[in-house]
Amino acid sequence: MVKEDYKNLGFECRETNANYISYFKDGKWDEGKLKDTDCITISAFSPALHYGQEAFEGLKAYRRSDGSIQMFRPTENAKRLRRSCERMLMPLVPEEKFIDACEQVIKANMDLIPPYGSGATLYLRPFIIGVGRNLGVKPAKEYLFSVICSPVGSYFKGGLAPNKFLITDFDRAAPNGTGDSKVGGNYAASLWPHQVALDKGYADCIYLDPLTHTKIDEVGAANFFGITRDNKFITPKSSSILPSITKYSLMYLAKEKLNLEIIEGEVFVDKLDIFAEAGACGTAAVISPIGRIDVGNKQHVFYSETEVGPITRKLYDLLMGIQFGDIEAPEGWIHIVK
Ligand code: PLP
Ligand code: COI
């Protein structure tokens, strides 16, 4: 692909050279190996297929200006996978195995990692599934851990262009459910509301807290943040949202580099006018400015429906600068692939 094509890359899968795969049997993981296919053979009785016993992660490999490759906070993804595995009664993937698998996949797909300056990256999708013959609702005895990948560009259309989002009555997770784990069931529940939003011309839907439906929880597959008129960075604190590594990174950068006050708390949907700017953040989404939120017959416009606000832009430039190696990162955030 030429550099220009990478600028138009969306969030789709492309063919790659190799993927990593490892099996857990008789209480232990095997060595794991690279395979030149993304097809796997598992029993049709596998509990991952019927009961959703699975968990996944998403992180990216970034090409730096000198051509070398780095990952952004991969140990945080390894830790979150661990928490998801605990929740799903699955064996833990040791942190070293997780990082080694990502590195093997990156090295095997080096020629597919988009060029520096294109804004595109190699998206890595580690996942673990419960496999084997199992009919009752109970955890599997055997597991498969794999890392697949694809070169990707923007998740939301237009990259840093503002998008509009719809608040619906649907929930993706229950108050004491699995919303804070990265597991397939949450995403299965989100397919219908996502489609409703797309059909009505929105980029995605925004979920309210499932208990009271009065507070913002999440933006589809990304976390929400707002910047108030008096320079506070406010983001929802909720047990039903995924703890976003990007969000926690932005909270640090907003405080340390932009001197904003940070609040993880309640974001009432009838008090959106405290915000001058708002955005969705995540590995795939990076930062996508929220131009407008519609709820019922009310429309709430933030900074602008067409232009990104100044603080959102500063946060985006800082985050991308760090992720692509142009800005010095806080200690431990960057993992160079050697
Ligand atoms: N919320 C959901 C539901 C997600 O799927 C993601 C993506 O991983 C995020 C938030 C953002 O999390 P992170 O910044 O760790 O990618
Ligand atoms: C990510 O941002 O890595 C995600 O996992 C979002 C994805 C579900 C599209």
Side-chain angles (χ1 to χ4, degrees):
M1 269 172 112
V2 290
K3 200 165 167 181
E4 276 317 299
D5 294 336
Y6 280 111
K7 290 204 162 148
N8 300 320
L9 205 61
F11 195 80
E12 311 276 334
C13 24
R14 310 232 154 196
E15 219 171 294
T16 54
N17 304 330
N19 300 296
Y20 171 93
I21 191 156
S22 176
Y23 291 92
F24 183 90
K25 268 188 201 152
D26 303 324
K28 57 178 192 302
W29 288 107
D30 70 10
E31 271 265 314
K33 59 173 184 242
L34 289 173
K35 281 192 122 181
D36 63 0
T37 169
D38 56 24
C39 295
I40 51 177
T41 303
I42 58 172
S43 164
F45 285 103
S46 293
L49 299 177
H50 305 269
Y51 307 132
Q53 198 196 15
E54 76 94 46
F56 68 98
E57 272 304 323
L59 67 164
K60 288 173 169 174
Y62 303 81
R63 195 178 288 282
R64 298 160 57 103
S65 60
D66 64 1
S68 62
I69 305 297
Q70 65 181 34
M71 288 188 274
F72 180 70
R73 311 191 76 178
T75 52
E76 293 302 316
N77 295 91
K79 281 188 202 139
R80 190 169 62 191
L81 183 64
R82 193 185 170 96
R83 296 196 299 270
S84 301
C85 286
E86 279 168 353
R87 182 66 177 81
M88 288 289 124
L89 288 179
M90 299 195 289
L92 308 183
V93 179
E95 189 172 300
E96 314 77 69
K97 186 177 181 72
F98 181 95
I99 305 278
D100 172 60
C102 292
E103 284 204 329
Q104 287 195 40
V105 170
I106 289 171
K107 286 178 189 163
N109 293 285
M110 211 40 119
D111 56 320
L112 301 174
I113 304 182
Y116 171 81
S118 65
T121 55
L122 186 74
Y123 184 78
L124 303 169
R125 169 56 61 82
F127 67 96
I128 166 166
I129 57 177
V131 297
R133 306 187 75 223
N134 194 350
L135 192 54
V137 182
K138 57 182 183 227
K141 291 194 187 69
E142 296 177 5
Y143 294 85
L144 179 163
F145 169 62
S146 173
V147 180
I148 51 177
C149 69
S150 182
V152 297
S154 304
Y155 184 69
F156 288 114
K157 204 163 60 101
L160 201 51
N163 275 299
K164 59 176 182 165
F165 293 85
L166 176 69
I167 291 181
T168 69
D169 288 335
F170 293 105
D171 296 321
R172 65 181 275 283
N176 296 313
T178 55
D180 59 352
S181 300
K182 202 159 170 61
V183 300
N186 300 332
Y187 297 83
S190 77
L191 294 174
W192 176 277
H194 176 68
Q195 192 59 46
V196 168
L198 290 187
D199 289 348
K200 292 185 174 170
Y202 296 89
D204 206 339
C205 55
I206 291 187
Y207 296 98
L208 299 182
D209 73 288
L211 197 59
T212 69
H213 277 202
T214 57
K215 298 173 271 184
I216 289 192
D217 233 6
E218 288 210 77
V219 187
N223 275 184
F224 174 91
F225 69 87
I227 312 291
T228 62
R229 296 177 198 286
D230 57 351
N231 287 340
K232 295 187 177 90
F233 178 108
I234 305 187
T235 185
K237 185 170 181 65
S238 164
S239 59
S240 47
I241 65 174
L242 191 77
S244 158
I245 297 161
T246 315
K247 193 258 302 276
Y248 286 110
S249 307
L250 289 178
M251 286 163 68
Y252 177 89
L253 295 173
K255 179 163 185 282
E256 299 300 324
K257 307 281 182 196
L258 304 184
N259 239 340
L260 303 184
E261 187 185 332
I262 308 301
I263 300 175
E264 230 185 331
E266 291 165 320
V267 177
F268 287 99
V269 75
D270 61 356
K271 299 255 164 24
L272 291 179
D273 48 6
I274 61 168
F275 296 114
E277 301 176 34
C281 63
T283 300
V286 191
I287 291 181
S288 180
I290 300 179
R292 189 176 116 193
I293 293 180
D294 290 3
V295 48
N297 53 11
K298 286 205 193 99
Q299 297 184 345
H300 187 90
V301 175
F302 291 92
Y303 182 75
S304 152
E305 284 197 62
T306 50
E307 278 171 48
V308 53
I311 296 184
T312 307
R313 175 174 289 280
K314 278 188 194 152
L315 285 170
Y316 178 86
D317 289 344
L318 269 171
L319 180 68
M320 291 281 277
I322 289 172
Q323 290 178 330
F324 282 97
D326 295 330
I327 296 178
E328 197 182 336
E331 174 89 35
W333 279 21
I334 294 304
H335 180 103
I336 306 264
V337 179
K338 298 211 175 81

